[in-house]
Amino acid sequence: MPARLIHVAAFAVALCVAAACPGGAERVSTSSDAMNDQSPSFADGPTQATALELSITTPARGATLKGDPALTVKGSVIGPATAVTLNGAPVSVASDGSFNHAVQAVYGMNVLILEATDDKGEAQKLVQSFYYSTRWLQTDPQKPSTAMLDSAVRGWLGASVFESGGARIDIATVIERVLQSIDIASLIPSSQRINNVVGCDHADITISNVSFSPGQVALTTSASGLGVKVRFANLKANVKAKLSGKWFNPACLVKVSGKVKASAVEVTTTLDTKVSGGKLTATAKGTAAKVKDFDIDISGIWGFLTNWLVNRFEDDLARDLESMVKSEIDKQVGPALASGIDGLAFNEVLEIQPLVGNQATSVTLASTLGELKFEAAGARYALDGTAVAQPVVTHPSLGSLGYACGGAFGFTDKSKYPMQLAIGDDLLNQLLYSLHRGGLLKIKLDKEEAGKLLATIGNLPVTDLQGELDALLPPVINTCQSGGPLLQIGDLRAKLAFKLIGQPAEIIVHLAVEAPLTLRADGARIKLSISKPSLLEIESKDITAGGSKVFKAVQLLLEATLVPQLIKLLEDRSISVPIPELDLQQMDASLPAGTKVRLKVSKIVHRDGYTVAQGSVE
C-alpha cells in the first residue's frame, strides 16, 4: 500500500537543510505547517490514497556521512506526478520515475522532504534524515582509553585560585602549611670551634635562642611555571665567643656576647610542571635564598668574629636553606600539588533509568589530566575524556558526531571570571551516542506502560496501544547554528499497534525532532535543559486501514506524549557532567573534609565547540 505521509511542525519554525555551517553557502530552508487542530474529530472516513509511491535511496535513511558536503540525492517517484520538489526546489524526474538532485549537506542533522502532487491534485510527502560531519569519533567500550578525546574538558584557574590574598584556604595555604615545618635553627650549629684565632689557640662560638616567624608563602603564575616565595621574618639569635690559649696574651682570655638579626630570610623557586600518562609532576627549579638586612650587635667585637658570622648567616645559612626548601618542595609540595590537580579528573559510572521498564543504561564517564600550562594571569588545564557504554543497538554508524565548524578555542574574560570550565561538544555528543548505543532510546511499550502514556491525553479514543520505539540515529548537540545550540534527533522510528474507536490499526512512524537547548549549572554538575521542539517532522506509513483518523490520532499521540516524554528523558536523566573541583584535602590530609576550591557559575556561553561556564571561586 502506498505510504501516507504527514508533515507536521508543532511550533512552525524553519529548518535549514541544504547549506554549509556558518560562513558557508546560503541555506535553502523549508518551513513546517503549524498544527491548528489540537482536538481533532475522529469521525472522518478513510482518506483516498494517492497513486504515487515516493522513495529516497541515497542517502539511506539514518545514514551518517562525511567527506564532500555536495551530495546527490537519488530516489524515485512512481506514478502520474505533475510536480515534484525536494526541500522546496523543483526536481526533474526521468521517464522511469528516478531522479538525481544535488544538495549541500550541513553539519549535524539534515532533513530531506520529498513532495509530489499527482494528476488529481493530491499531494504526498516523504521525510527522512541523515547526519553529516567531516569528523566522526569512534568508541570502544572494551578499551575506553582508545576512545579518549583530547581536551574533552578545559579549565581556567586564575591567579586568585592559587592565592586569594584573604582568609580563604587556597593552594598557597597548603604549600605554606608544608613549608612552615622548616626549622631554620636546625641549620645553624649551636657551637663551633675556630682554631688559630688572632694569636690564640682557638675560639669557641655558641649560637643560641634562634627565633624566627613561621614561613609565609606567596605564589605567582608565569609562563615559566608556578613561582613560590617563602619568607621567614624576624630572624634573631644570641652569640657568645670565648678565646683560649696563649696565657701570656691577655686578649686570649676575652669573652664577648651579643646578638645577630635579619629582617627576613627569603627563598624563591619555581615549580616546573609536566604532564605524562595522565599524571602531573612538579619539581623545584632555580631555587635561591637571601638573608635580608643582616645586622650584628656585639660590643667590641673583633674582626674575625664579624667575618665568621657574616659568612655563617649570609652564605652558609642561605645555601643550606635553599637545599632544604628545594628538598621539601620536591618531596611534599610537588606531590601535593600534583594530587590536587590530578583530582580535577572525573571517573564515574552513570546509571540512566529508562522511560519505561527497569533496565538501566550504564555509561562510563572517564577522564585523565592532559595538560597544565601556566601563564601570567593563571593556569589552564585540559582533561582528556570519554563516555562509553556496552552496545545494545547496532545501527550502522560512523561513530559519534565530531565538532567540525572551525574556530580555535581560548578562554576570555579571565580577570572577570577567575574560574571557568569548558565542556566540549565532542564529549557531550559521545555521551549521547553511548546512551543511544546502550539502548536508552530503544523502548518497548506494552499495554500497561502505554496506558500510562495515554492517560496523559484527554479525549483520545485510542485503546490497547503497544509497540516499540527505536532511534536510527543518536541525539546530537549542534552548536554550529547561528541561532544557538540545538538538540537534534533524526529518524526516530515508532512501530505502533492500537485500536481506534474499537478498530485495530497499525502504523510505522519516523520522526525528526529539533529543539533549542541550554546547559545549566545544577549543584556540582552541568545539566541539559531542552525547550519545546521548534521542528517536528513526522512521516507515517499506514499499515492497516484507518485513513485520516489514524493519522490524527498518531499525530496527537506523538506530539502530546511520546516526544515530550523522550525529551524529558534526555533532560532529566542523561546529559550531566560533573564540575571539576580542586580538593585541597587531597593536597593536605590534615585539612577538614570538603575543603575544596569550586566554581560558582555566573554565566554560561557557547563558543568554538565548547559550552563554557564562567564564574568566581567558591
Side-chain angles (χ1 to χ4, degrees):
M1 179 176 183
R4 292 285 302 175
L5 300 162
I6 299 177
H7 174 216
V8 180
F11 300 95
V13 176
L15 171 67
C16 300
V17 295
C21 288
E26 182 178 352
R27 292 177 178 272
V28 177
S29 65
T30 176
S31 296
S32 301
D33 301 322
M35 183 180 72
N36 297 317
D37 186 4
Q38 294 296 324
S39 301
S41 168
F42 295 96
D44 301 335
T47 299
Q48 180 67 39
T50 71
L52 302 178
E53 293 186 16
L54 280 60
S55 69
I56 294 176
T57 56
T58 304
R61 183 181 291 281
T64 52
L65 305 178
K66 66 182 298 185
D68 190 346
L71 303 177
T72 299
V73 177
K74 299 180 180 181
S76 64
V77 178
I78 305 302
T82 59
V84 179
T85 61
L86 181 66
N87 294 342
V91 173
S92 297
V93 179
S95 58
D96 63 355
S98 64
F99 69 85
N100 296 283
H101 188 80
V103 299
Q104 188 80 7
V106 299
Y107 174 81
M109 183 174 73
N110 292 256
V111 180
L112 298 173
I113 303 174
L114 180 63
E115 301 178 272
T117 304
D118 66 14
D119 54 1
K120 297 179 181 179
E122 294 194 29
Q124 187 163 319
K125 296 180 182 179
L126 181 149
V127 180
Q128 69 184 55
S129 307
F130 68 91
Y131 288 171
Y132 171 81
S133 177
T134 56
R135 291 181 65 240
W136 294 92
L137 308 170
Q138 293 293 326
T139 62
D140 184 351
Q142 304 303 324
K143 300 177 181 178
S145 60
T146 64
M148 279 287 179
L149 306 172
D150 292 341
S151 301
V153 175
R154 299 174 185 263
W156 170 253
L157 305 173
S160 61
V161 174
F162 296 91
E163 181 168 19
S164 63
R168 176 174 59 81
I169 296 177
D170 50 27
I171 294 176
T173 307
V174 174
I175 296 176
E176 190 171 270
R177 288 164 65 96
V178 172
L179 296 183
Q180 280 181 348
S181 63
I182 290 178
D183 183 8
I184 292 180
S186 67
L187 301 176
I188 303 173
S190 59
S191 63
Q192 186 167 345
R193 173 169 289 185
I194 304 175
N195 295 317
N196 300 318
V197 176
V198 291
C200 302
D201 285 342
H202 59 268
D204 292 316
I205 301 172
T206 303
I207 301 175
S208 61
N209 297 328
V210 178
S211 65
F212 55 93
S213 299
Q216 293 183 322
V217 170
L219 302 181
T220 56
T221 55
S222 70
S224 299
L226 181 62
V228 181
K229 181 170 77 172
V230 193
R231 188 173 191 271
F232 301 91
N234 302 317
L235 175 63
K236 297 178 182 178
N238 295 332
V239 179
K240 291 182 180 180
K242 178 183 178 182
L243 296 174
S244 300
K246 309 292 185 183
W247 61 268
F248 54 84
N249 185 352
C252 294
L253 303 177
V254 172
K255 295 180 180 179
V256 294
S257 63
K259 297 181 181 296
V260 295
K261 62 180 181 179
S263 63
V265 181
E266 292 182 350
V267 184
T268 58
T269 191
T270 299
L271 279 174
D272 183 27
T273 58
K274 292 182 174 60
V275 177
S276 178
K279 297 296 182 181
L280 176 71
T281 58
T283 55
K285 67 176 183 179
T287 307
K290 183 177 182 180
V291 179
K292 304 191 71 174
D293 303 321
F294 183 64
D295 183 58
I296 302 171
D297 183 14
I298 299 179
S299 177
I301 190 169
W302 292 346
F304 86 90
L305 188 54
T306 301
N307 294 335
W308 184 88
L309 289 172
V310 169
N311 182 66
R312 175 67 266 174
F313 280 85
E314 290 194 342
D315 296 333
D316 296 348
L317 175 61
R319 183 181 63 251
D320 293 344
L321 192 56
E322 286 175 12
S323 178
M324 178 176 282
V325 169
K326 185 180 187 309
S327 175
E328 290 301 307
I329 285 178
D330 289 346
K331 287 192 303 183
Q332 296 192 65
V333 174
L337 179 65
S339 178
I341 298 296
D342 287 344
L344 291 169
F346 48 83
N347 292 278
E348 61 184 25
V349 176
L350 303 178
E351 297 286 346
I352 311 300
Q353 295 301 317
L355 180 62
V356 297
N358 300 313
Q359 186 63 45
T361 299
S362 297
V363 177
T364 299
L365 194 62
S367 68
T368 61
L369 185 66
E371 178 187 60
L372 178 68
K373 295 290 185 182
F374 284 92
E375 55 186 74
R380 64 184 187 276
Y381 68 88
L383 302 178
D384 300 335
T386 188
V388 294
Q390 292 297 327
V392 173
V393 174
T394 56
H395 297 307
S397 174
L398 294 177
S400 65
L401 185 71
Y403 180 76
C405 300
F409 177 81
F411 287 104
T412 61
D413 297 326
K414 296 176 183 177
S415 58
K416 184 177 181 180
Y417 301 110
M419 282 196 77
Q420 300 187 42
L421 174 71
I423 302 173
D425 288 3
D426 284 354
L427 180 63
L428 295 176
N429 278 321
Q430 194 181 66
L431 175 56
L432 285 170
Y433 175 81
S434 294
L435 289 169
H436 170 254
R437 301 290 277 188
L440 184 67
L441 298 183
K442 190 174 181 64
I443 302 169
K444 196 170 187 64
L445 288 172
D446 59 24
K447 290 183 180 180
E448 179 181 356
E449 294 292 347
K452 296 176 184 178
L453 295 178
L454 288 174
T456 64
I457 307 176
N459 302 320
L460 183 62
V462 172
T463 58
D464 296 340
L465 175 66
Q466 57 186 315
E468 62 181 28
L469 280 73
D470 188 11
L472 303 184
L473 289 165
V476 296
I477 292 175
N478 186 341
T479 61
C480 291
Q481 312 292 334
S482 59
L486 297 171
L487 177 74
Q488 298 175 328
I489 310 176
D491 279 335
L492 179 64
R493 181 175 63 199
K495 295 181 179 180
L496 304 174
F498 53 92
K499 289 182 179 179
L500 179 66
I501 319 180
Q503 297 299 313
E506 293 181 1
I507 199 164
I508 295 177
V509 181
H510 290 95
L511 300 91
V513 182
E514 183 174 85
L517 67 86
T518 57
L519 280 94
R520 57 186 171 83
D522 185 355
R525 305 186 75 85
I526 296 292
K527 293 187 176 181
L528 185 70
S529 291
I530 307 173
S531 302
K532 293 180 180 180
S534 56
L535 180 94
L536 177 60
E537 301 285 356
I538 304 176
E539 172 196 327
S540 300
K541 182 177 182 180
D542 193 6
I543 304 301
T544 60
S548 62
K549 294 184 295 183
V550 172
F551 300 139
K552 289 182 180 181
V554 170
Q555 174 182 312
L556 187 56
L557 175 66
L558 293 171
E559 288 191 335
T561 302
L562 291 180
V563 171
Q565 289 287 344
L566 287 173
I567 287 178
K568 184 174 178 59
L569 172 68
L570 292 172
E571 182 176 53
D572 290 350
R573 309 178 197 177
S574 302
I575 294 297
S576 173
V577 177
I579 299 175
E581 300 174 325
L582 197 59
D583 190 345
L584 298 181
Q585 194 192 32
Q586 289 188 13
M587 301 175 64
D588 184 349
S590 66
L591 289 172
T595 305
K596 299 179 179 181
V597 176
R598 298 183 178 91
L599 167 63
K600 183 178 181 180
V601 179
S602 303
K603 180 181 179 182
I604 293 181
V605 297
H606 302 275
R607 186 175 65 254
D608 299 324
Y610 285 84
T611 296
V612 187
Q614 300 174 313
S616 56
V617 181
E618 184 177 30

